[in-house]
């Protein structure tokens, strides 16, 4: 299975802020099966955005190049068995 072309991030650990290296991404809330509807977020010209479902604050950081800090907030879909 191919990885997502749009980065996906989650906040299972409940941190108040996640720095991300993308201005367009999906927030999934917590890891499945406790995820919320996957929300497409586009920061546009802004440098931060809040998820309307889980209230996670996402802050853009160009040095992360599509990743996130904390690193474990990047969601990787599992391969089907």
């Amino acid at each position: 299975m191919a990885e997502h072309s749009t980065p996906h991030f989650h906040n299972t650990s409940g941190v108040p802020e996640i720095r991300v290296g993308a201005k367009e991404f999906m927030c999934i809330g917590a890891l499945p099966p406790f995820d919320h509807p996957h929300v497409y977020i586009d920061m546009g010209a802004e440098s931060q955005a809040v998820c309307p479902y889980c209230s996670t604050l996402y802050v853009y950081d160009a040095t992360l190049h599509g990743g996130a800090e904390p690193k474990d907030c990047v969601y990787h879909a599992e391969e089907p068995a």
Side-chain angles (χ1 to χ4, degrees):
M1 180 192 307
E3 277 291 314
H4 303 288
S5 59
T6 301
H8 286 55
F9 303 109
H10 67 87
N11 193 4
T12 301
S13 57
V15 296
E17 174 183 304
I18 299 173
R19 293 180 320 149
V20 295
K23 287 192 153 206
E24 297 177 8
F25 57 90
M26 299 288 280
C27 177
I28 70 166
L31 288 173
F34 305 108
D35 50 336
H36 62 52
H38 298 191
V39 180
Y40 178 76
I41 297 176
D42 182 350
M43 291 185 189
E46 301 297 320
S47 62
Q48 61 185 28
V50 175
C51 175
Y53 277 92
C54 64
S55 300
T56 297
L57 173 63
Y58 288 96
V59 178
Y60 179 67
D61 182 342
T63 66
L64 294 172
H65 305 289
E69 186 59 44
K71 292 178 189 201
D72 65 344
C73 291
V74 177
Y75 174 66
H76 301 283
E78 293 184 25
E79 296 278 337

